[in-house]
Structures are given as structure tokens and as C-alpha cells.
Amino acid sequence: SFHSPVTVALPSPNGYDTITEAMKLRRGYYLWLQNGQGLWQPLEYRRKLLADNQALIAKMRMGLEQDYRIPEAARQTLDGNASLVNGCLELGALLRLAAATHAEQNNLPEAMRCALDSIALSVQVPCGGNMSHLSLAYSCKEKGLESAWELVDRVDAKTARQAVTRLEKIEAQRWPVAENLREDMQGTFRALYHQRYARGPLGTWKDLNSWLKITGEDYARDLWTSVTVVYEGPKVFVDYANASIKDLQDLAQKPWDPQQARLPATQAPIHTYDAYGFSYLEFQQRGYRAFSLLLRTSLALRAYKLEHGSYPNSLESLKEEGYLAMLPIDPFSPTLAPLRYRKRPEGTMTLWSV
């Protein structure tokens, strides 16, 4: 049932613990770097900031190599995961600054490594977490993708090949968004159950604030408008929530339908946000996957051109000659076709998603 905590065996060593310990090693204040202002600081200042935080980066990289799962106690309340959220945002900002600083000094392999560290971090932080952790992952991934794209046309063939290999490994570790949604629903239901049967009905903003503190989720605000559904019985909420999650899981396994604006299967009265929101989550996931595939394929094309003198005639050549492990299937293709590619007569190329 949703109000019973799910016990999951945590990996040992757990990357969550290692990265949490890494955050304690930070030196200097770089939370303000999240808005990109740090990139405008003098080079010497940025070099010193990175030198002061080398122990943090080294420890974080140890965590990235470990299995990762957020413990139950760390995701139950907003207070319990706020330090993780803020710390990972700072790590993403620091890695963005590190990539730009190394690139400015023409240390391109290290710049690319920092960019991919941010993308790897974005894959780990949602594991076992809820929607706030998924939003955090998006922030880290955006910084990593932005940094990596700036380097595609500058790196040598060896660095490009290494980046492709790591990106393939990162993609294989992707956490299903439906699991984050399930954890969200579990937390929300625990809060509703607590209010309905332990503390009385929800009826004031004071109660709502207590509810939000339990769930740690802004998503609870959307459910607030239709909380009376729970008064029909806990099973009603659970059934609708499970049906919505199943719809999202099913959607993730299907080719993308460009005409699909919302999920048709579940007409849950919980909130009209649900059907559209769940569909949008899948759209957002596919968008980030498409950007990652475009980056990975662009790096493979870069390596191929440097080693052969020209771009390949087709993407199949990248797979046949070992530049890609498999053809990049476009997440938005209704027919599961690869990314579109065209080699132009003047020696350039165009790569795109539908």
C-alpha cells in the first residue's frame, strides 16, 4: 500500500553517501554560480576556486563510479533532502565553471570530463528519489550538455571517442521517470493518510504547510484542489495514482505520437493536471534523451572526420567502424527511425531529430 514505506536494499558502497560526504569538502561560496555569474570572474579567481575544491571533485568522482540510491530517510521530507538538492545544484554549477575554465586554458580532455561528470550526476540523483530529485537532475544535465556542446568542434579524436563511450554508459543507467512519480505519489498518500486518519481532515493553510513538509513536493499543491477524493476512501486515490503511473510506463515503451497531447487511458478525477502532466513528463524525458543522442553522435562524427578526413556517408558507418555501439534511435520518431543525417557536398553535415 502507498502508506507503507518500501524497503529497498541500498548498494554498498552507496554513491549517495560518497557524494554527500564530498559536499562537506567544499571550499569557498559558489552557490551564486548557479546563475552563471561565475563564468565572468577573472581566470585566476576561477583557477583558485577549482584548486581549493579539487578534493571535493575527486570525492564526487568516486561517488559517480558507485551504485547510487537515495535512502528512505533522506527523501521523506523537504528538510531531509534540501541539503542534497542544494549541494547537487552547487556541484553542477561548479562543474560548469570547471569545464569552461579548463576549456579556456585549452585543457580540453579535462573540460569534457567535467561536462560529462555533470551529465553523470544528473543520471544518479533521481535514483530512488521523487520529482524534486528529477527536477534537480534536469538542472545538472542542462549544465553538462551546454558545456559539452561547446567542446564538440574543439576536441581531438581520442577525447571524442572517450566521450562517446562514457555517454553510452551514462544512458544505460537512466532511471525511469515513472519511479520518481511513484515515490511522489507514495509520499503524497502518506501525507493524506496521516491528515485524514491521524490528525483530522485537511481544511486550513496551516494543515497544507504541514502536508508539504511531510511530502517535500510542490506537486502536493496541485492535488490540494481535489483532496476530497481521499474522503471516498484511500483505495480511490491509490487506484487512480497507480493507473496514472502505469499509463506513463506504457507511454515510455511506445513510439512517440506527435498528436498525443495527453494520456487517454486514465480519466482520474484527482486533477486535470494529471493527464497532461504525465504526458509532458515523458515528452521532457524524450527531449533530454534526444539532446544526449545528438551530442553523442556529433562527437562520433567529429572523431570519424578527424581520422578519415571527411564525414561518413551515413550513420551506419559509425556503427560498422566502432564509433558508436548502436545506431541512435530518435526518441521522437513515430517509426523508431535513427536520427536524421545528411552529408553535404561542400564537406559539412547536418544532424537532427524530427
Side-chain angles (χ1 to χ4, degrees):
S1 64
F2 268 64
H3 64 280
S4 299
V6 178
T7 302
V8 179
L10 297 178
S12 180
N14 188 359
Y16 170 87
D17 297 325
T18 304
I19 292 177
T20 300
E21 289 297 316
M23 294 174 189
K24 300 176 183 178
L25 301 176
R26 62 186 179 188
R27 298 292 181 268
Y29 297 92
Y30 46 85
L31 182 60
W32 54 274
L33 297 180
Q34 290 181 31
N35 58 15
Q37 292 182 8
L39 301 178
W40 299 97
Q41 297 297 317
L43 177 60
E44 287 305 313
Y45 175 87
R46 287 180 279 134
R47 289 178 60 182
K48 184 179 185 306
L49 183 64
L50 294 179
D52 291 342
N53 285 280
Q54 280 305 300
L56 181 156
I57 293 175
K59 187 83 170 180
M60 176 207 67
R61 285 173 170 166
M62 289 176 55
L64 292 178
E65 296 299 320
Q66 298 168 349
D67 291 334
Y68 186 102
R69 188 66 57 84
I70 300 175
E72 180 82 13
R75 64 178 188 260
Q76 290 303 309
T77 68
L78 182 62
D79 296 335
N81 62 42
S83 59
L84 170 68
V85 171
N86 290 332
C88 285
L89 285 173
E90 291 184 4
L91 280 178
L94 181 66
L95 290 169
R96 175 74 178 96
L97 179 138
T101 302
H102 288 303
E104 189 174 338
Q105 300 175 93
N106 287 319
N107 186 357
L108 301 182
E110 184 62 21
M112 181 61 77
R113 185 183 183 187
C114 290
L116 299 186
D117 284 340
S118 188
I119 297 175
L121 186 66
S122 76
V123 171
Q124 285 197 339
V125 291
C127 295
N130 48 39
M131 297 305 293
S132 66
H133 302 109
L134 186 65
S135 298
L136 166 63
Y138 290 159
S139 177
C140 292
K141 177 162 284 190
E142 286 171 359
K143 290 180 173 65
L145 289 172
E146 182 180 357
S147 298
W149 272 112
E150 294 174 355
L151 300 170
V152 169
D153 293 330
R154 297 182 58 189
V155 295
D156 58 23
K158 179 181 178 181
T159 302
R161 277 178 170 271
Q162 290 174 340
V164 169
T165 300
R166 189 174 181 194
L167 283 168
E168 289 175 338
K169 179 182 177 182
I170 290 172
E171 175 68 16
Q173 298 170 336
R174 185 164 43 86
W175 183 261
V177 63
E179 294 305 313
N180 297 111
L181 184 61
R182 187 183 301 279
E183 175 59 32
D184 231 29
M185 288 296 190
Q186 287 177 337
T188 301
F189 182 75
R190 280 193 293 268
L192 294 173
Y193 187 88
H194 173 76
Q195 291 285 358
R196 179 68 178 89
Y197 295 100
R199 302 186 62 224
L202 293 164
T204 68
W205 283 105
K206 182 178 179 181
D207 292 328
L208 175 60
N209 289 334
S210 175
W211 178 13
L212 291 173
K213 186 174 182 180
I214 295 172
T215 63
E217 292 304 322
D218 289 336
Y219 183 74
R221 297 183 188 276
D222 295 294
L223 293 178
W224 170 258
T225 59
S226 52
V227 69
T228 53
V229 169
V230 178
Y231 291 174
E232 300 176 19
K235 188 175 183 302
V236 175
F237 182 89
V238 173
D239 288 345
Y240 283 131
N242 281 332
S244 297
I245 292 169
K246 184 178 184 303
D247 286 341
L248 184 62
Q249 291 173 321
D250 292 343
L251 180 62
Q253 303 302 317
K254 298 176 181 178
W256 182 252
D257 180 1
Q259 302 301 319
Q260 183 171 347
R262 59 184 64 230
L263 295 175
T266 302
Q267 301 299 327
I270 294 177
H271 200 284
T272 56
Y273 170 86
D274 289 353
Y276 175 78
F278 296 165
S279 181
Y280 178 73
L281 282 175
E282 177 59 19
F283 175 84
Q284 195 175 33
Q285 282 286 89
R286 290 182 189 242
Y288 280 112
R289 205 182 319 157
F291 277 120
S292 296
L293 285 171
L294 288 166
L295 172 63
R296 187 200 311 171
T297 309
S298 296
L299 286 164
L301 288 165
R302 167 73 174 175
Y304 187 100
K305 182 182 180 182
L306 291 175
E307 294 179 349
H308 292 77
S310 63
Y311 288 113
N313 293 324
S314 66
L315 294 183
E316 284 78 3
S317 298
L318 296 177
K319 181 178 182 297
E320 293 169 359
E321 299 193 34
Y323 289 88
L324 288 174
M326 61 185 65
L327 283 178
I329 301 302
D330 190 343
F332 289 107
S333 170
T335 60
L336 299 179
L339 294 173
R340 272 44 171 185
Y341 169 78
R342 180 181 301 141
K343 180 181 178 181
R344 298 186 177 277
E346 64 271 21
T348 62
M349 64 84 184
T350 303
L351 178 71
W352 73 97
S353 163
V354 295

